[in-house]
Amino acid sequence: MTVPTIPVRGAIKLGQFVKLASLAEDGAQARELIQAGDVTVNGEVETRRGHHLNTGDLVEVDAPWGKASAIVGSAS
């Protein structure tokens, strides 16, 4: 399976990226997934919505409807 790379301009927080990458339908759903421990960053569970991501980070969501992932890319 090919993991999409989502271009990001500047710094982005985990909650924003989950929504931007369409790993959740909206911000409320992104918050629920993160707080429930269903989101990992580079293989580590991350429960802080405000966690700052870096270019190359792999974000994975293990939601009830299936798994999805995306890589933080650079929009430069």
Side-chain angles (χ1 to χ4, degrees):
M1 176 177 111
T2 303
V3 177
T5 297
I6 309 299
V8 173
R9 190 178 305 271
I12 191 164
K13 295 177 183 174
L14 180 58
Q16 295 169 321
F17 184 77
V18 169
K19 188 171 59 172
L20 175 70
S22 298
L23 301 176
E25 289 182 13
D26 55 32
Q29 188 180 68
R31 182 183 68 244
E32 290 171 12
L33 290 167
I34 293 165
Q35 289 177 341
D38 294 331
V39 177
T40 62
V41 177
N42 299 324
E44 298 288 324
V45 173
E46 181 55 70
T47 58
R48 297 171 298 160
R49 247 183 345 159
H51 175 77
H52 286 272
L53 299 174
N54 298 305
T55 300
D57 282 350
L58 172 63
V59 177
E60 297 175 288
V61 175
D62 188 3
W65 55 88
K67 294 185 178 191
S69 55
I71 296 171
V72 179
S74 175
S76 56

